[in-house]
Amino acid sequence: MDSNIGKKLDGRYEITELIGVGGMADVYKAVDVMEDREVAVKILKPEFAENEEFLRRFRNESKAIAVLSHPNIVKIYDVGFSDEIQYIVMEYIDGITLKEFIEQQGVLKWKDALHFVTQILRALQHAHDKGIVHRDIKPQNIMLFTDGTIKVMDFGIARFSRIDGKTLSDKTIGSVHYISPEQARGDITDERSDIYSVGAMLYEMLTGHKPFDGENPVAIALKHMQDDLVMPRDIMPSVPEALEEIVIHAMEKDPGRRYQSAADMIRDIDTFKLNQSVVFGYKNGAAPVNTEYYDDDYDDDYYDDRYDSRYDRYDDDDYDDDDYDEDDYEPPKKRSYIMPILLAVTVAVVIMASVIICITVFKSLGGANGLHTSSVEVPNFVGMSIVDVEQEWKDKLQFEITNENNNEYESGIIFWQADAVGKTVKEGYTCTIKVSKGKQMTTIPNMVNKPKEAAESELKAAGFVVFLTSEFNDDVPKGNVTKTEPAAGTEFYVGGTVKIFVSDGPFDTQVKVPNVVGYTQDKAVQALKDNKLNPVIKEVGHDGDKGLVISQSIEKDTRVTRGSDVIIYISKGEVDESSLTFRLPIPNGAFGSYSVVLYNNAKVVATVPMDKAETVAGSYLEVTVKGKKEQSYTIHVRNNTTGKSVAPYAVVSVDFEKKTAKFTSGPNTSKLLDITPTTTRETTKATETTTEEPTQTETQTSKETEPTETKPTDTEKTKKTQNSEDDNNNDE
């Protein structure tokens, strides 16, 4: 685990997680406990803490950022330097990098690209005005919020350009895909190096390709210095020609031919937005060249020497008195005064006419109050408040104002003017300008559960920039939208970036079945739903535990597919009556009509007629009983012909829940034969003997089944018959 996580720096910044790793420092997410806000903390790596050169660079970074305060630059809140740890506390940015956005989009619409680039240029202009050059402008260092706002970060190698003329140790620093030629060579770099990098990013956004690429950083750097740029329109013909001019002008290899400031590039972008057919004339080396660098080596005497040299040819030494020859002199002839007089009269007439005309014009313009004789230069009103402009220029200029929505300028700010900056006009001249009404707002529609293609198309049609990302979601099918940021129903400005979250389906398709036995029905249902399972309820007869789960169809801790059915059996509180059929054996040799009577707790519960008993060995009678739980039944068999009974014939224990029947006594098959008429039994034996001789097994079985009996006397027979009848009457 990272040793910094869990630390509280200066008793205030509690580090929670690592969010970025850099060459010199690591970046952590932390909580400012005093301000109750999330912050980012950049901590210098321990291996560099004892290196004076690295410490100097790290401290310079904090020094550089500390003087910057701009809405498009990441804010710095605090710095800390001690013997143990060196850190910078910055604004925590919850967004994505421009690199991620470019990779997701492929090729950006030129309006979106310029929306981002303009914000980057404004941030750089602010830094350049403070004397700070970024020197590592690349999409990885640009953060993008969902509302389309840009934040430039990581001024890690920025330094005060007016203090030192070269980069650290004369070595190039920065990403080689966006590095300027002079930076690649290790030459002096200034603001125009950042302009080149911005041009390279704009090239990539418009074409989907980096301006130069190669097998290794050295090869790429050499291409920046030596190779010609492939025109953006050769890759993407839909790029407007004027926008191509802006790109190639920003990426001129000679810094003197590039835009000389971020403001210059913004001005051309604004001009292009108003007129896409404008021609700047930057192609084929037509751009003006500035050979001066913005550094402290600038020499004011340079211009004095240049202008003084213009007058060298008027030196007195160039005049030669020897050219004058006295012999060549001729005295002037006498002049006539008629022509001068006529000329004077003519001039006087012209002057008088002019005076009359001027007076007439003067009066037509409203006399002394209506005539303006002074001239003024039209300033750059773009970016200024209309209230301030009208107040400051009310005595010099008039204004024709049009109010329009604009995503880049706040309400009340001028974003366009018809007249070129520096144009000379008379006082009272009417300037045509456009003033922002602020961003055009609209409501974000509900995209939840829509397929991502449909949601993306609908949001783009509404004028939003769309960024797709994915997340696991248990409730939304894979490929459908789970949510948007900003959320549906939010008022958001047209042209802003809306993040669409697309479901990747459940994180894990297998879940573990919980144990819900003993739960109430509601609690068991909720537990199964919480585990992404489908509860199926069945009520069952059960003694006690009414309303509770007494069992479940799938054992606890078993892993099953999400959404599987799990049957839970809920107790009714009592057992349901059920029926069960069991077989009552009938021995071979039993004949006649019988009745089978079942007793339970001395009560007759069933009487089953047996009109004709089977004579085949192993035969049986099916008897059906109804009851609950476990019951014991005593079975009596009565011969309907003789009236004799076997009581009991058998005792059977029936478990209605387990659906089992077990004889606990009997069946007394030998007693059943005792109540069968003797004559019938003997006839049957004789018939069996004459008809078919039994096999060894059958004879043996017959012997085992047939009881040995002693023939009673007539008196015994009479008593037995009487006792049987008495038993029968008792049974009934």
Side-chain angles (χ1 to χ4, degrees):
M1 181 177 176
D2 194 308
S3 61
N4 286 322
I5 295 176
K7 284 185 178 179
K8 185 180 286 187
L9 304 180
D10 198 23
R12 176 175 180 178
Y13 307 108
E14 187 172 350
I15 298 175
T16 58
E17 62 178 299
L18 178 68
I19 58 176
V21 178
M24 286 171 43
D26 295 331
V27 183
Y28 296 86
K29 185 178 180 181
V31 177
D32 182 348
V33 295
M34 292 182 63
E35 297 292 337
D36 190 24
R37 64 184 175 189
E38 291 181 330
V39 295
V41 179
K42 180 178 284 189
I43 299 178
L44 187 65
K45 290 184 176 180
E47 57 264 35
F48 301 123
E50 298 179 358
N51 187 306
E52 290 299 325
E53 183 66 14
F54 280 106
L55 286 178
R56 185 181 68 82
R57 288 175 59 189
F58 192 75
R59 288 169 178 166
N60 279 351
E61 173 180 355
S62 61
K63 183 179 179 182
I65 305 176
V67 301
L68 302 178
S69 178
H70 191 274
N72 297 120
I73 297 178
V74 65
K75 296 177 184 177
I76 180 168
Y77 298 133
D78 196 5
V79 293
F81 301 113
S82 66
D83 294 336
E84 296 181 357
I85 196 166
Q86 318 255 341
Y87 64 89
I88 302 174
V89 182
M90 300 175 293
E91 173 185 9
Y92 174 70
I93 300 174
D94 186 12
I96 62 170
T97 66
L98 185 57
K99 175 181 173 62
E100 292 172 314
F101 185 76
I102 292 172
E103 289 177 346
Q104 192 270 329
Q105 295 289 322
V107 177
L108 274 62
K109 295 178 181 177
W110 67 260
K111 290 184 179 180
D112 297 336
L114 293 184
H115 175 67
F116 299 147
V117 165
T118 302
Q119 294 181 74
I120 297 169
L121 289 170
R122 287 176 184 158
L124 290 175
Q125 185 62 55
H126 176 77
H128 295 169
D129 289 344
K130 301 289 185 181
I132 299 170
V133 181
H134 191 289
R135 284 193 178 79
D136 196 17
I137 290 295
K138 56 187 177 182
Q140 296 92 316
N141 283 339
I142 311 296
M143 294 301 297
L144 173 62
F145 289 84
T146 56
D147 65 355
T149 301
I150 284 294
K151 287 271 190 180
V152 180
M153 63 177 186
D154 198 5
F155 280 76
I157 58 173
R159 53 95 175 140
F160 288 76
S161 63
R162 294 173 187 162
I163 294 176
D164 185 9
K166 295 185 178 181
T167 56
L168 183 64
S169 302
D170 291 333
K171 294 181 180 179
T172 60
I173 303 174
S175 175
V176 291
H177 282 111
Y178 311 94
I179 195 171
S180 66
E182 63 271 23
Q183 192 174 0
R185 288 191 296 267
D187 291 347
I188 295 174
T189 55
D190 59 14
E191 295 91 322
R192 294 170 294 185
S193 183
D194 287 345
I195 300 297
Y196 183 93
S197 299
V198 173
M201 284 198 304
L202 181 55
Y203 183 103
E204 182 180 8
M205 285 188 275
L206 295 174
T207 65
H209 296 270
K210 295 178 176 63
F212 297 106
D213 210 345
E215 296 179 355
N216 53 66
V218 174
I220 299 171
L222 287 173
K223 288 183 178 182
H224 278 285
M225 291 186 286
Q226 301 171 0
D227 289 9
D228 292 333
L229 185 69
V230 177
M231 294 295 100
R233 286 168 56 83
D234 291 345
I235 301 173
M236 191 64 61
S238 60
V239 175
E241 190 168 357
L243 186 52
E244 181 181 64
E245 284 196 77
I246 292 175
V247 174
I248 63 175
H249 189 40
M251 292 190 66
E252 290 280 3
K253 295 191 185 302
D254 182 355
R257 293 186 178 275
R258 278 181 222 144
Y259 289 109
Q260 299 301 291
S261 70
D264 290 344
M265 189 170 178
I266 292 173
R267 187 175 296 114
D268 275 2
I269 289 174
D270 288 340
T271 301
F272 166 75
K273 289 179 181 178
L274 297 172
N275 179 14
Q276 281 83 58
S277 61
V278 67
V279 177
F280 294 109
Y282 295 144
K283 289 187 176 181
N284 303 318
V289 180
N290 182 357
T291 58
E292 302 303 322
Y293 280 88
Y294 301 135
D295 58 21
D296 290 337
D297 295 332
Y298 169 82
D299 186 0
D300 292 329
D301 295 335
Y302 170 78
Y303 288 98
D304 295 336
D305 294 339
R306 287 177 58 192
Y307 290 125
D308 289 344
S309 65
R310 294 170 53 191
Y311 300 97
D312 288 346
R313 61 179 180 276
Y314 299 108
D315 196 297
D316 292 338
D317 293 337
D318 292 339
Y319 181 75
D320 189 357
D321 291 337
D322 293 337
D323 291 339
Y324 173 74
D325 189 348
E326 189 175 330
D327 294 335
D328 293 334
Y329 174 77
E330 293 184 4
K333 297 180 180 180
K334 245 184 163 181
R335 298 175 61 186
S336 171
Y337 292 98
I338 296 176
M339 290 303 296
I341 292 172
L342 292 175
L343 180 60
V345 172
T346 303
V347 171
V349 171
V350 171
I351 292 174
M352 290 179 66
S354 299
V355 171
I356 293 171
I357 293 172
C358 288
I359 292 173
T360 303
V361 173
F362 180 80
K363 290 181 179 179
S364 68
L365 294 174
N369 294 328
L371 183 63
H372 298 274
T373 57
S374 299
S375 297
V376 294
E377 286 189 1
V378 177
N380 181 12
F381 293 122
V382 175
M384 299 178 66
S385 166
I386 182 60
V387 175
D388 295 341
V389 169
E390 286 184 315
Q391 182 66 29
E392 182 179 352
W393 294 87
K394 63 182 179 180
D395 296 330
K396 296 180 181 180
L397 296 172
Q398 302 295 319
F399 296 97
E400 181 181 334
I401 301 171
T402 302
N403 294 291
E404 294 181 3
N405 290 112
N406 189 283
N407 290 341
E408 297 181 21
Y409 293 86
E410 296 180 0
S411 179
I413 304 299
I414 299 170
F415 67 88
W416 179 86
Q417 64 187 60
D419 299 289
V421 177
K423 177 181 178 181
T424 302
V425 298
K426 294 292 185 182
E427 287 189 0
Y429 177 80
T430 299
C431 293
T432 301
I433 59 176
K434 292 183 179 180
V435 179
S436 172
K437 293 195 299 184
K439 297 175 180 179
Q440 180 182 350
M441 307 298 288
T442 188
T443 302
I444 295 179
N446 186 8
M447 298 289 108
V448 175
N449 264 320
K450 288 188 176 182
K452 69 175 181 180
E453 295 81 5
E456 183 177 11
S457 177
E458 188 172 338
L459 287 173
K460 285 183 176 180
F464 297 113
V465 176
V466 174
F467 177 77
L468 294 173
T469 187
S470 60
E471 65 177 3
F472 293 108
N473 191 287
D474 296 334
D475 303 317
V476 177
K478 185 175 182 180
N480 285 8
V481 177
T482 62
K483 64 181 179 180
T484 59
E485 286 185 0
T490 304
E491 285 289 319
F492 199 53
Y493 75 95
V494 175
T497 300
V498 177
K499 185 184 289 187
I500 297 178
F501 291 81
V502 181
S503 173
D504 264 346
F507 179 73
D508 187 358
T509 58
Q510 294 287 311
V511 294
K512 187 183 290 186
V513 177
N515 180 23
V516 295
V517 174
Y519 286 18
T520 62
Q521 177 177 318
D522 291 342
K523 186 177 179 181
V525 167
Q526 189 60 50
L528 291 173
K529 286 183 176 180
D530 289 344
N531 285 272
K532 311 306 176 187
L533 295 167
N534 182 42
V536 178
I537 301 168
K538 285 189 178 181
E539 287 189 328
V540 294
H542 180 76
D543 191 16
D545 300 329
K546 184 177 181 179
L548 300 182
V549 179
I550 58 172
S551 64
Q552 58 191 65
S553 63
I554 302 177
E555 291 288 334
K556 67 176 183 178
D557 297 333
T558 303
R559 295 190 67 83
V560 297
T561 303
R562 285 171 179 257
S564 296
D565 290 346
V566 177
I567 303 172
I568 53 176
Y569 298 94
I570 309 297
S571 171
K572 291 181 180 180
E574 60 180 3
V575 179
D576 291 335
E577 187 178 69
S578 61
S579 61
L580 183 115
T581 300
F582 63 90
R583 294 176 176 179
L584 184 65
I586 300 173
N588 184 23
F591 287 91
S593 175
Y594 294 85
S595 292
V596 177
V597 183
L598 278 75
Y599 290 86
N600 178 247
N601 294 328
K603 293 182 180 180
V604 177
V605 295
T607 300
V608 183
M610 188 170 62
D611 295 335
K612 186 177 181 181
E614 296 288 344
T615 60
V616 180
S619 295
Y620 57 85
L621 173 68
E622 288 190 343
V623 179
T624 300
V625 291
K626 291 183 179 181
K628 299 178 181 179
K629 302 181 182 179
E630 291 188 29
Q631 299 292 336
S632 179
Y633 296 94
T634 301
I635 304 172
H636 293 189
V637 179
R638 182 176 60 196
N639 188 309
N640 294 332
T641 301
T642 64
K644 294 180 180 181
S645 299
V646 178
Y649 178 69
V651 178
V652 62
S653 177
V654 177
D655 189 330
F656 287 97
E657 289 185 359
K658 295 181 180 179
K659 301 296 182 183
T660 60
K662 180 180 180 181
F663 288 98
T664 58
S665 176
N668 298 315
T669 55
S670 60
K671 290 185 178 181
L672 183 61
L673 291 175
D674 287 344
I675 64 174
T676 300
T678 304
T679 56
T680 305
R681 198 166 61 228
E682 290 174 350
T683 303
T684 302
K685 288 181 180 180
T687 304
E688 290 175 353
T689 302
T690 57
T691 303
E692 182 177 359
E693 185 174 339
T695 62
Q696 180 73 22
T697 303
E698 289 173 341
T699 303
Q700 184 178 356
T701 302
S702 177
K703 289 180 180 179
E704 290 175 355
T705 303
E706 183 175 305
T708 303
E709 61 176 349
T710 303
K711 291 183 180 181
T713 62
D714 292 340
T715 304
E716 290 175 341
K717 287 182 180 180
T718 302
K719 289 181 179 180
K720 190 172 183 179
T721 300
Q722 185 176 352
N723 291 336
S724 296
E725 288 176 353
D726 292 340
D727 291 341
N728 187 48
N729 293 332
N730 291 334
D731 290 343
E732 292 176 355

